[in-house]
Amino acid sequence: MKGIVLAGGTGTRLHPITLPVSKQLLPVGNKPMIYYPISVLMVAGVQDILLITRPADVPMFRTLLGDGTHLGLNISYAEQPHPRGIAEALIIGADHIGQEHCALVLGDNIFHGTRFGRLLQSETRTMDGCTLFGYRVPDPERYGVGVTDEDGRLIAIEEKPSSPRSDLAITGLYLYDNEAVDIAKNIRPSARGELEITDVNRIYLQRDRAKLVDLGRGFAWLDTGTPESLLQAGQYVSMLEERQGVQIACLEELALRMGFIDAESCHRLGERMAGSGYGRYLMSIARELAS
């Protein structure tokens, strides 16, 4: 399975702090925001990742992530000069996807849960068509929502409904088979001029090949698109890390635990940042897992 992180857009709701820099490079806790969606792909077992962003932001992401080899990944980059919808990521990433399945994650979404990796790995193994992930919210009218029957089967997708029939918001993580590229190429722009991912998902639903997984209790989904939500996400991450003594979305540790790199490589990555608590954490984890 190939991975795509969509880290484009202008971050208008975060102006002026996003005027000089991509939203996905802003800090959430002690890490750049982009670490969180990449970590989602990593725990799913995805190592071949395309990062799509604005042309001006590509050099900064390259400086941060390089080609991913230090993490046992293959990270490549593509440009989205103007935000034309989430579904455009499938078109931009067509060559990257090739003949494989695809996991698409939005660059400003944060997922956390102790069973999340096992859940994703299970879903990627059994996926047939399209798999979406739902999270219950108090204000579903702000989101695309999934409507399920009494057996939990997805029967409708509503985009920002004024009278929601469900409180299951569809999160920014999507698993698709190889047909997604052709579907995206054949949908028409919406009234706001964008290729809507909801239209892609509805086609899968019409074909009876769309599934919605309710993340349920024990999981957290955070959208960091506003100053308030960005602050809340940072507080959430910092509190958990302080209380549990672990790092959330620590790419180097994930690479080690997933077997993408060895303990010696992880320790060297920590040494490069030894002046920070993050670097010292990496070295301690490497020593712990090497023993």
Side-chain angles (χ1 to χ4, degrees), residues 129-179:
C130 161
T131 300
L132 310 173
F133 296 86
Y135 189 82
R136 298 190 183 276
V137 296
D139 49 356
E141 64 278 359
R142 295 181 52 228
Y143 303 92
V145 298
V147 181
T148 58
D149 62 18
E150 58 186 14
D151 296 320
R153 180 172 169 268
L154 183 65
I155 57 174
I157 298 172
E158 301 177 339
E159 185 63 28
K160 297 181 180 178
S162 56
S163 300
R165 292 189 287 159
S166 165
D167 62 352
L168 269 177
I170 295 175
T171 69
L173 173 62
Y174 317 88
L175 305 181
Y176 294 114
D177 67 11
N178 197 252
E179 293 182 37

Side-chain angles (χ1 to χ4, degrees), residues 108-148:
D108 61 358
N109 276 217
I110 295 175
F111 297 84
H112 180 252
T114 55
R115 296 178 290 108
F116 196 44
R118 290 194 296 273
L119 173 66
L120 289 184
Q121 291 165 29
S122 173
E123 293 299 330
T124 56
R125 285 194 302 269
T126 60
M127 186 192 64
D128 179 24
C130 161
T131 300
L132 310 173
F133 296 86
Y135 189 82
R136 298 190 183 276
V137 296
D139 49 356
E141 64 278 359
R142 295 181 52 228
Y143 303 92
V145 298
V147 181
T148 58

